[in-house]
C-alpha cells in the first residue's frame, strides 16, 4: 500500500489556544504511572539471548543518560547532571543485573524481571528511616522503568530521557514534568487538562512552543499516535494527520515564523508608550539558564523569577550554596537590570520533592507560598540567605507570593533580618535588596494600602488573582471563559492596588500572564502599572503594543 493511503485522516483535538505557534512532529506519549510489563514465560533456549537483550537495554539507557548528563554539565546545570549520573550508576548496579539474570534463568521475561527487582530495591529504600534514602526509591523505579521500556520497545519511559524533538501528548503535565524535559526536545504540548493560566501553558509560552490544553477525553483516542500537528494559535491539534493536513501545517508554521520575525525590530527598543511613558518590559524566568534567551528577546530585567522550579526539577532540596550559585548567575547575566526573585511558591499544583505536603481538600486554598515558608524556616532561611548573598552580585529584588495580610510580610522581613545578622556574624559577604509583594489574593488588593508601607513594590499576579476573585480554578478547562483579567472585578482590584501604591509612593508591575496580552496592556498601563513581566517570547509584541498606546 502506498504510504499516503496508509494514513488515517487524523484525529482532531479541540482545546484551548494556550501558547502560540504551529508545530508538526513525532508524538511522545507521556502517561505517568507504573510501567506494566507482561510476565511472559521464556523458553530455556532463549535464556542467553534474553540476558544479552537485558544488557543491551542497560547500555542504551546509560548512553542516553550520559548524553543528557553531559549536555547538562555543558550548560552549567551541574546539580541536575549529578542526578543523571546517579541514575547511570543505578542502571549499571551489579546487584540489579544479578537479580534480573536469576529471574531470567528461571524463565521469566527480562522486562518483567527488571521491574520486579527494581520494585524490591525501591521497597527496601522506601522503608528506610532516612529521608534521603527513601527519596531514592523513585529514582530506582525511574531507572528500571526506562530499562523495561527499552526491552518492550517503547523507548525511554520518562520525559527526562526525551532525545528526539517531539510533540508531547499527556493527560496533564505538572511543572515538575516540564522542568525535566531536555532543552529543545519539546515541540509542543497537547493536554487533556488545563487552561490558559495553568502552569503547563505558562511553561509552553516561556519555552516559545505551541500548546493546546484542555482537550478533555478526546486525548484518549490519540495516545497511540505517531505524529502530531499542533496549532497553538487556533487551539487544536491533529493526531496522525494525513498528508494534506501535514502540508497545511507546514504552511501555517512558515506563516507563524514570519509573523514572529516581523516583531524582531522591537526586541531592542525600550518599553515606552506612544506618548513617551516609560514602561519596563521584563521576562518571567524559571531558571538562570533562560537568562540569555530572555535578554535576546529584549527583556529589560526579570519581573518574576519562579524559584520553585529550581526545587522541583530535582529529587532533593537544593542547598543554600546551590541556590546562591543559581541566583548569582541570574543577576550577573542581567547586570544593572533588576531581577526580582519570588520566594518559594509551592502548594496548589506545585509539589516539592523532599518536603512532605499534607493531603489537602483544596490545595489552591491551602498551605502554599508564604504560608508554608513561614511555617518551615529550615526551608525558607537557606533561600533568604542565598538571596542576600547573591544580592552582592547584582540588582536583586525579592517578593513574597500568596500574601493575604501585612503580618506575613513583617514576619518574612524579620526572618530576613535574622539571616542578615547570621551572615554578618559569620563574616559572609551579602548585599541589601528591595522587598516587594505579589498581589494575587483579593485580600492583598483590597488591603493594598495596609501592605504598601511594608514594601518597595507590588507585582500583581493576575493568574491567581483571577482564580481567587472569580472563584474559578485556573487549571479547569471547563472554566476557560472565566480565566481572564479583563473582568470588571479583577480590573477594579488592579485599580485599587495602583491607587494604594501611588499614595504610598511604591511602583506596581504585573507578572501574571495578563501582562503579555495585547488587549490588556493598554488597560493595565491606564490603571497605573509601570512594569510588565511576561514569558520572554512575548516581549517584542508587548513593546510594539506599548508603542501604539
Ligand atoms: C500569578 O499568580 O499570576 C503568578 C505570576 O504566579 P504563578 O503563575 O506562578 O502562580
Ligand atoms: Mg501565583
Amino acid at each position: 500500500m502506498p504510504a499516503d493511503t496508509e494514513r488515517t485522516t487524523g484525529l482532531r483535538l479541540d482545546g484551548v489556544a494556550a501558547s502560540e505557534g504551529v508545530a508538526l512532529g513525532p508524538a511522545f506519549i507521556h502517561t505517568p504511572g507504573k510501567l506494566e510489563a507482561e510476565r511472559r514465560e521464556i523458553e530455556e533456549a532463549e535464556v542467553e539471548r534474553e540476558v544479552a537483550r537485558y544488557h543491551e537495554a542497560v547500555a542504551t539507557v546509560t548512553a542516553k543518560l550520559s548524553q543528557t548528563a553531559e549536555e547538562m554539565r555543558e550548560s552549567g546545570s551541574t546539580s541536575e547532571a549529578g542526578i543523571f549520573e546517579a541514575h547511570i550508576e543505578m542502571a549499571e548496579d551489579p546487584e540489579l543485573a544479578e537479580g534480573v539474570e536469576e529471574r531470567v534463568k528461571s524463565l521469566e521475561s527480562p522486562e518483567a524481571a527488571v521491574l520486579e527487582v527494581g520494585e524490591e530495591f525501591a521497597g527496601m529504600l522506601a522503608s528506610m528511616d532516612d529521608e534521603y534514602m527513601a527519596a531514592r526509591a523513585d529514582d530506582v523505579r525511574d531507572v528500571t522503568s526506562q530499562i523495561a521500556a527499552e526491552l518492550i520497545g517503547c523507548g525511554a519511559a520518562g520525559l527526562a530521557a526525551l532525545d528526539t524533538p517531539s510533540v508531547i501528548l499527556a493527560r496533564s503535565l505538572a511543572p515538575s514534568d516540564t522542568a525535566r524535559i531536555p532543552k529543545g526536545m519539546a515541540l509542543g504540548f497537547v493536554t487533556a487538562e488545563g487552561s490558559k493560566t495553568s502552569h503547563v501553558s505558562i511553561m509552553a509560552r516561556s519555552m516559545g512552543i505551541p500548546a493546546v490544553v484542555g482537550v478533555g477525553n478526546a486525548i484518549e483516542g490519540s495516545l497511540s499516535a505517531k505524529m502530531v500537528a499542533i496549532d497553538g494559535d487556533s487551539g487544536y491539534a491533529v493526531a496522525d494527520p494525513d498528508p494534506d493536513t501535514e502540508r497545511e501545517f507546514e504552511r501555517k508554521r512558515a506563516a507563524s515564523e514570519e509573523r514572529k520575525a516581523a516583531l524582531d525590530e522591537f526586541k531592542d527598543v525600550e518599553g515606552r508608550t506612544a506618548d513617551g511613558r516609560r514602561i519596563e518590559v521584563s521576562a518571567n524566568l524559571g531558571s538562570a539558564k533562560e537568562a540569555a534567551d530572555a535578554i535576546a528577546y529584549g527583556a529589560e530585567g526579570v519581573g518574576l523569577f519562579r524559584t520553585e522550579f529550581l526545587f522541583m526539577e530535582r529529587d532533593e532540596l537544593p542547598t543554600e550554596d546551590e541556590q546562591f550559585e543559581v541566583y548569582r548567575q541570574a543577576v550577573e547575566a542581567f547586570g544593572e537590570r533588576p531581577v526580582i526573585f519570588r520566594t518559594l511558591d509551592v502548594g496548589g499544583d506545585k509539589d516539592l520533592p523532599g518536603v512532605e505536603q499534607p493531603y489537602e481538600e483544596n490545595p489552591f486554598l491551602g498551605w502554599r507560598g508564604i504560608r508554608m515558608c513561614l511555617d518551615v524556616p529550615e526551608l525558607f532561611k537557606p533561600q533568604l540567605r542565598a538571596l542576600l548573598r547573591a544580592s552582592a552580585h547584582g540588582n536583586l529584588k525579592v517578593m513574597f507570593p500568596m500574601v493575604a495580610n501585612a503580618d506575613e510580610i513583617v514576619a518574612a522581613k524579620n526572618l530576613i533580618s535574622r539571616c542578615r545578622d547570621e551572615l554578618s556574624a559569620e563574616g559572609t559577604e551579602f548585599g541589601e535588596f528591595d522587598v516587594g509583594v505579589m498581589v494575587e489574593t483579593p485580600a492583598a488588593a483590597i488591603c493594598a494600602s495596609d501592605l504598601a508601607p511594608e514594601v518597595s513594590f507590588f507585582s500583581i499576579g493576575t493568574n491567581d488573582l483571577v482564580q481567587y476573585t472569580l472563584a474559578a480554578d485556573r487549571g479547569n478547562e471547563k472554566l476557560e471563559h472565566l480565566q481572564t483579567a479583563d473582568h470588571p472585578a479583577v480590573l477594579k482590584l488592579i485599580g485599587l492596588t495602583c491607587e494604594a501604591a501611588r499614595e504610598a509612593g511604591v511602583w506596581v508591575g504585573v507578572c501574571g500572564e495578563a501582562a503579555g496580552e495585547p488587549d490588556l496592556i493598554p488597560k493595565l498601563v491606564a490603571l497605573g502599572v509601570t512594569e510588565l513581566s511576561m514569558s520572554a517570547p512575548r516581549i517584542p509584541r508587548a513593546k510594539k503594543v506599548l508603542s501604539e498606546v
Side-chain angles (χ1 to χ4, degrees), residues 172-400:
S172 67
L173 282 171
S176 53
D177 294 324
T178 51
R180 282 170 189 262
I181 301 173
K183 195 172 159 69
M185 290 302 140
L187 295 176
F189 296 145
V190 183
T191 60
E193 295 168 14
S195 73
K196 248 188 183 161
T197 50
S198 313
H199 283 95
V200 59
S201 309
I202 294 173
M203 287 302 280
R205 287 194 285 272
S206 65
M207 291 157 90
I209 59 170
V212 175
V213 304
V215 302
N217 288 337
I219 197 88
E220 303 298 335
S222 70
L223 293 180
S224 57
K226 295 277 176 287
M227 285 291 284
V228 186
I230 169 170
D231 180 345
D233 300 333
S234 312
Y236 76 99
V238 182
D240 285 333
D242 63 16
D244 280 348
T245 311
E246 280 193 9
R247 275 190 292 275
E248 184 198 328
F249 270 78
E250 284 298 355
R251 274 194 301 274
K252 285 205 278 191
R253 177 162 63 185
S256 167
E257 291 300 321
E258 240 171 67
R259 278 197 301 277
K260 254 194 237 165
L263 290 171
D264 276 358
E265 60 177 293
F266 287 94
K267 284 183 179 169
D268 297 326
V269 306
E270 223 180 34
R272 208 172 271 288
T273 59
D275 59 356
R277 211 152 104 206
R278 176 81 173 101
I279 307 289
E280 218 167 280
V281 184
S282 301
N284 291 350
L285 300 192
S287 75
K289 283 174 272 175
E290 295 164 33
D293 281 352
I295 291 167
Y297 277 115
E300 300 181 80
V302 175
L304 166 63
F305 190 110
R306 290 184 165 96
T307 59
E308 57 274 10
F309 288 106
L310 166 64
F311 290 68
M312 289 187 310
E313 65 190 6
R314 40 192 296 145
D315 294 323
E316 73 272 10
L317 296 172
T319 63
E320 175 187 320
D321 282 350
E322 283 168 338
Q323 292 187 60
F324 163 67
E325 268 311 309
V326 172
Y327 305 154
R328 186 181 60 79
Q329 275 172 24
V331 288
E332 284 185 353
F334 278 87
E336 287 177 1
R337 290 169 282 189
V339 180
I340 304 177
F341 289 90
R342 175 182 64 196
T343 58
L344 194 55
D345 183 23
V346 286
D349 65 344
K350 292 179 278 193
D351 278 342
L352 187 55
V355 170
E356 204 172 321
Q357 199 88 17
Y359 170 77
E360 292 181 306
E361 203 63 62
N362 279 309
F364 272 113
L365 302 180
W367 196 52
R368 52 171 303 203
I370 193 73
R371 306 167 179 183
M372 180 206 206
C373 283
L374 288 174
D375 285 348
V376 193
E378 60 276 23
L379 184 67
F380 201 16
K381 273 181 64 193
Q383 177 168 52
L384 295 174
R385 285 172 54 101
L387 287 166
L388 281 162
R389 289 168 57 194
S391 182
H393 298 265
N395 187 356
L396 182 151
K397 299 179 197 297
V398 170
M399 64 182 176
F400 307 121

Side-chain angles (χ1 to χ4, degrees), residues 35 68 101 157 281 367 546:
L35 186 71
T68 313
E101 281 177 24
V281 184
W367 196 52
L546 279 173

Side-chain angles (χ1 to χ4, degrees), residues 199 304 306 342 350 438 440 461-464 474 511-512:
H199 283 95
L304 166 63
R306 290 184 165 96
R342 175 182 64 196
K350 292 179 278 193
M438 285 196 71
E440 53 184 349
T462 48
N463 307 336
D464 278 317
R474 65 193 267 186
C511 65

